[in-house]
Amino acid sequence: MPPVQRSPHRLLAATLLLALLPLSACGTTGPGGPGGPSGPTGTAAGPGSPGGSGAPEGPGGAGAAGGEVRSTAPGEAHRHAVPGPKGTVSPQGTGSAQGTTAPRGTASPAATAPRRGVPGPPAAPAEIPGLGPRTRAQIPPASLQAVVVRGHGRDVGTGTATLYERRPGAGWTAASAPWPAHNAVSGWTDHHVRGDLRSPVGVFRLTDAGGLLPDPGTRLPYDEDRHFVAVGSGSLGEPLEGSFDHVVAINYNRVPGTTPLDKTRPLGEDRGGGIWIHVDHEGPTQGCVSLLRTHIRELLRWLDPAHQPVVVMGDVASLAR
């Protein structure tokens, strides 16, 4: 038989078919095992990858645990198992082990800790030591100066005198050290009468001054007069001369705004009067309060009528009421 003539077209098709067969038999497999056809990027699509995303099966079977995604592309980071730098947030939005963010609505420790340097409530204004509520209530609210005379006992003629100033917001503060003082020879009384040789207990205004000697620089009205003369001797036999060189009138049973020599007695003559702060004669008085000469001059320069000064006087127990 004559040889069969093959169409050149058929030979060409057969040759092309044989050339293509090895390529389909050697399909690329992914790292998880035999896979399907190669994806567009050359990554095998494993059976567990949703939607043919190219993710291979994990060691446990269908899909890596927690939806882990690995890429065969060079240099691509592992997105779950590799923690970020300290204090950074992972791609899933979860804080790393050392940088975990607080739950929403939870105050951070810095917000709940007490703030340093924040002042507390203001302290109450200071009071004059040793004065009880009854005595404090007698001090006028407008008075900013007080001479506090503390007798050593109800029936004792010695004590101390201390100057105090009241400052807005701070209260009373001492303006002098305690000065030695004398009061009446028989002590103190709540109801002074003429001739009882006791000093009256209470709070009294100080508005007027005077003396035999010139004004040492006081802001109070000062009456320099030759009638400020003390004669005789005190209870200890000490001379009284010079006791009235400087005086401050205590507004007990007198008319404020007049000379200390004025003898008007609003409470009556039997309630006594002429109660002053004067120069000490080294012994108890008949009813006044006396200070050393240097202290009475200092007192006169300190007193300011604009501050409405008062004297708070009595034995320690009486002042504590």
Side-chain angles (χ1 to χ4, degrees):
M1 292 180 64
V4 177
Q5 297 293 323
R6 297 182 183 275
S7 171
H9 297 288
R10 289 183 180 180
L11 288 174
L12 180 59
T15 302
L16 291 173
L17 179 63
L18 290 173
L20 293 173
L21 283 174
L23 293 175
S24 63
C26 298
T28 305
T29 59
S38 299
T41 60
T43 305
S49 58
S53 64
E57 285 188 11
E68 179 177 301
V69 178
R70 295 181 186 268
S71 173
T72 59
E76 186 172 350
H78 189 304
R79 294 198 295 170
H80 281 263
V82 182
K86 181 177 179 180
T88 62
V89 180
S90 69
Q92 293 277 332
T94 309
S96 64
Q98 299 186 20
T100 304
T101 57
R104 193 173 291 181
T106 305
S108 65
T112 57
R115 293 181 294 169
R116 294 182 180 180
V118 177
E127 297 288 353
I128 298 175
L131 303 188
R134 176 176 163 185
T135 303
R136 291 198 303 267
Q138 297 178 59
I139 301 177
S143 292
L144 304 180
Q145 292 181 323
V147 183
V148 180
V149 180
R150 298 178 175 94
H152 289 155
R154 184 73 174 183
D155 303 322
V156 178
T158 59
T160 63
T162 308
L163 309 184
Y164 286 90
E165 295 176 337
R166 177 153 53 184
R167 299 172 184 171
W172 291 100
T173 58
S176 77
W179 295 337
H182 280 102
N183 53 274
V185 62
S186 296
W188 300 90
T189 180
D190 293 309
H191 188 80
H192 176 68
V193 294
R194 185 173 54 184
D196 64 4
L197 299 179
R198 289 183 178 270
S199 299
V201 173
V203 177
F204 308 101
R205 286 286 309 277
L206 302 174
T207 58
D208 305 286
L212 182 66
L213 299 182
D215 179 359
T218 186
R219 282 166 284 191
L220 298 178
Y222 188 89
D223 179 26
E224 180 185 350
D225 196 297
R226 62 183 180 84
H227 291 100
F228 286 99
V229 176
V231 295
S233 59
S235 61
L236 301 179
E238 76 281 10
L240 301 179
E241 184 179 357
S243 299
F244 301 154
D245 285 351
H246 300 295
V247 309
V248 179
I250 294 173
N251 287 2
Y252 167 81
N253 199 19
R254 70 177 299 270
V255 178
T258 62
T259 172
L261 295 172
D262 184 69
K263 296 187 179 298
T264 305
R265 302 289 180 253
L267 300 178
E269 292 291 334
D270 60 329
R271 295 295 304 275
I275 308 296
W276 299 341
I277 302 174
H278 60 68
V279 178
D280 187 71
H281 47 76
E282 299 183 356
T285 69
Q286 294 185 13
C288 298
V289 172
S290 63
L291 304 174
L292 297 177
R293 182 177 296 271
T294 57
H295 292 155
I296 189 92
R297 290 173 66 88
E298 183 175 345
L299 171 65
L300 281 166
R301 289 190 291 266
W302 177 74
L303 292 171
D304 185 348
H307 294 165
Q308 301 188 31
V310 296
V311 60
V312 183
M313 52 193 287
D315 59 283
V316 171
S318 296
L319 295 180
R321 293 180 297 198

